[in-house]
């Protein structure tokens, strides 16, 4: 018996309220306007090129976990965009609910399927366009919509007040000076070599990462700064909700903070989706072919610090450890080799997952799926049992994942399947095991 979306429908306040306001006529008008204004040749080419071969199925962790054909990437497109185009946008509100659930919570936009498609079709782009349609119709999961609105209202997704942001940095500076008396977290330094950029959960929940980064940068003798004004939060859930207008505002503020400070480049913290927003999406939406300020992810930055000798390891972190490849910096930026060079330089006993690099399975938190909230938590955890199997097969007790969302998704999987694996950021290990000159 063929599974349909109705068989796995999950109630969500945002989706239910959204479809209650729709009519088929309003849906069609909105869809046709989007197709004309934003669809373009790329969408048309992908839809018309797909030969329905199904080779993408085994690329998807949802399909591999459920072995249900309706989760295959090509099936997700068939259940959404193909139907929209077939009916020229004249579809029912209930159909839009189905599209939203598939696009927001049953696809992580991880782009693994693109590597398995013989024609190179980017299914994630198609599903992103479905999200864009749903957003324009006001049909988005409640929690991710709330996060996007938080960022729009306060310019950071965690409602960190301006004075709280500065107080947090000063607090971490004071904490770190107990260990390194000369340490500073420089604010508003014009002309610094780089602006360090973090996501809002760091000052809210993971302040130790700011401490560690400051220690590493000071130990290396770097000329850096952080902004004191809004624009410091580089996370961007609006990119994944389909609200490109808010997404553009957020990225504009981020670039403008760096330009105002006249820094030479932006160094991003260990977050994949934030890197994707500023490196690959935000700049294009804002009309820049390239970035007004060069952007570097922490993987590249740590690689450079280690290779230049600006930081040295006093010891290696004891293995065995394994490496999780975050989608947005591996498939999205190609940093798989540099990631491995960094991990091998700081750790003993590296055990690779199978598969790995650009073929590694997604953490199932990406694409904003983790921000879709509790109604869909079990969807992503059960929908990625294949990742649990992949982790378990390594036999390790430590997994290095240089991405915040990956930590969130993997923590849920590790807990659900009782794997007993500890997650680490690169900065965690570098700080713990590096030479610390002048530290008490």
């Amino acid at each position: 018996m063929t599974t349909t979306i109705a068989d796995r429908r999950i109630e969500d306040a945002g989706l239910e309220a959204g479809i209650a306001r729709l009519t088929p006529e309003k849906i069609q008008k909105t869809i046709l306007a989007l197709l004309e204004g934003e669809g373009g040749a790329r969408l048309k080419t992908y839809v018309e090129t797909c030969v329905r071969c199904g080779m993408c199925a085994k690329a998807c962790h949802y399909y591999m976990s459920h072995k249900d054909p309706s989760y295959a990437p090509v099936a997700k497109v068939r259940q959404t965009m193909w139907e929209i185009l077939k009916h020229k946008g004249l579809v029912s509100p209930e159909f839009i609910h189905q599209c939203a659930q598939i696009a927001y919570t049953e696809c992580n936009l991880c782009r693994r399927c693109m590597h398995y498609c013989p024609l190179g079709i980017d299914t994630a782009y198609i599903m992103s366009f479905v999200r864009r349609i749903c957003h324009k119709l006001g049909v988005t999961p409640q929690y991710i919509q709330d996060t996007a609105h938080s960022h729009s209202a306060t310019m950071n997704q965690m409602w960190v007040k301006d004075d709280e942001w500065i107080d947090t940095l000063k607090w971490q500076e004071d904490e770190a000076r107990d260990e390194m008396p000369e340490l500073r977290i420089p604010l508003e330094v014009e002309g610094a070599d780089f602006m360090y950029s973090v996501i809002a959960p760091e000052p809210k929940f993971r302040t130790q990462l700011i401490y560690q980064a400051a220690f590493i940068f000071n130990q290396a003798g770097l000329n850096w700064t952080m902004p004191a004004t809004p624009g410091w939060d580089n996370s961007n859930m609006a990119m994944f909700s389909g609200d490109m207008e808010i997404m553009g505002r957020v990225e504009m503020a981020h670039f403008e903070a760096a330009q105002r400070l006249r820094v030479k480049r932006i160094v991003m913290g260990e977050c994949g989706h934030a890197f994707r927003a500023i490196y690959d999406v935000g700049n294009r939406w804002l009309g820049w072919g390239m970035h007004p300020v060069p952007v570097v992810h922490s993987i590249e930055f740590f690689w450079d610090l280690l290779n230049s000798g600006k930081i040295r390891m006093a010891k290696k972190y004891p293995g065995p450890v394994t490496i999780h490849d975050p989608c947005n910096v591996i498939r999205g930026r190609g940093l798989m080799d540099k990631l491995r060079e960094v991990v091998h330089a700081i750790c003993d006993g590296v055990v690779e997952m199978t598969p790995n690099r650009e073929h590694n399975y997604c953490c199932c938190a990406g694409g904003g799926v983790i921000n879709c909230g509790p109604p869909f938590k079990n969807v992503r955890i059960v929908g990625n049992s294949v990742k649990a199997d992949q982790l378990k097969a390594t036999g390790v007790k430590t997994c290095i994942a240089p991405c915040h969302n990956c930590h969130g998704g993997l923590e849920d999987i590790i807990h659900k399947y009782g794997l007993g694996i500890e997650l680490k950021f690169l900065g965690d290990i570098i700080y713990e095991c590096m030479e610390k000159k002048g530290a008490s």
Side-chain angles (χ1 to χ4, degrees), residues 7-29:
D7 296 324
R8 53 182 188 265
R9 175 170 174 148
I10 297 173
E11 300 299 323
D12 176 87
L15 301 187
E16 300 299 333
I19 65 170
R21 296 188 291 264
L22 296 179
T23 64
E25 293 73 26
K26 179 180 179 180
I27 293 169
Q28 184 179 43
K29 181 180 179 181

Side-chain angles (χ1 to χ4, degrees), residues 227-412:
T229 57
W232 56 265
D233 178 13
N234 66 35
S235 62
N236 201 327
M237 281 300 128
M239 172 180 67
F240 289 133
S241 73
D243 191 338
M244 307 308 279
E245 289 79 12
I246 289 180
M247 183 278 297
R249 280 186 57 231
V250 169
E251 295 309 331
M252 178 67 82
H254 198 63
F255 280 124
E256 286 180 343
Q259 289 174 303
R260 177 177 57 78
L261 292 172
R262 301 181 184 279
V263 297
K264 296 180 177 65
R265 58 179 174 169
I266 298 169
V267 173
M268 307 285 286
E270 295 184 57
C271 182
H273 95 264
F275 183 78
R276 182 176 184 171
I278 193 170
Y279 183 84
D280 189 45
V281 180
N283 58 304
R284 300 178 193 279
W285 179 262
L286 293 167
W288 292 311
M290 291 299 291
H291 318 93
V293 181
V295 180
V296 179
H297 188 269
S298 286
I299 293 172
E300 298 175 89
F301 194 66
F302 287 143
W303 180 90
D304 182 62
L305 292 181
L306 287 163
N307 279 276
S308 64
K310 291 180 179 177
I311 56 174
R312 299 179 185 277
M313 304 306 292
K315 59 182 179 180
K316 285 193 173 185
Y317 187 83
V321 304
T322 193
I323 302 169
H324 171 72
D325 293 281
C327 304
N328 290 317
V329 293
I330 301 303
R331 282 188 278 274
R333 180 64 179 90
L335 298 180
M336 61 285 286
D337 292 332
K338 285 187 175 179
L339 174 56
R340 277 153 182 79
E341 289 180 32
V342 171
V343 173
H344 281 272
I346 65 178
C347 297
D348 274 329
V350 180
V351 179
E352 289 282 6
M353 294 190 210
T354 302
N356 54 58
R357 293 177 168 81
E358 68 268 27
H359 298 297
N360 199 9
Y361 286 111
C362 176
C363 66
C364 212
V369 175
I370 196 170
N371 285 77
C372 289
F376 301 101
K377 183 176 181 178
N378 201 47
V379 173
R380 60 182 171 81
I381 297 175
V382 175
N384 209 7
S385 62
V386 67
K387 185 68 184 182
D389 294 339
Q390 187 189 34
L391 282 164
K392 186 176 181 179
T394 64
V396 307
K397 293 300 179 183
T398 304
C399 175
I400 299 170
C403 172
H404 279 272
N405 268 9
C406 292
H407 273 243
L410 294 176
E411 283 169 1
D412 288 336

Side-chain angles (χ1 to χ4, degrees), residues 29-31 43 56 72 86 113 134 181 185 192-193 200 204 247 250 275-276 339 361 364 397 406 410 421 429:
K29 181 180 179 181
T30 301
I31 289 175
L43 178 64
C56 58
K86 175 182 176 181
C113 52
C134 292
I185 296 181
D193 288 338
K204 197 75 171 181
M247 183 278 297
V250 169
F275 183 78
R276 182 176 184 171
L339 174 56
Y361 286 111
C364 212
K397 293 300 179 183
C406 292
L410 294 176
I421 294 175
I429 294 175

Side-chain angles (χ1 to χ4, degrees), residues 172-192:
Q172 289 307 297
E173 179 182 87
D174 289 342
E175 290 283 314
R177 287 174 68 181
D178 289 339
E179 184 177 7
M180 182 187 286
E182 302 302 316
L183 184 144
R184 295 292 185 273
I185 296 181
L187 285 176
E188 297 291 306
V189 176
E190 188 171 321

Side-chain angles (χ1 to χ4, degrees), residues 42 46 111 113-114 117 120-127 276:
R42 185 181 180 187
Y46 285 152
R111 306 176 84 181
C113 52
M114 186 169 66
C117 175
I121 294 171
D122 187 354
T123 303
Y125 169 77
I126 301 174
M127 300 311 292
R276 182 176 184 171

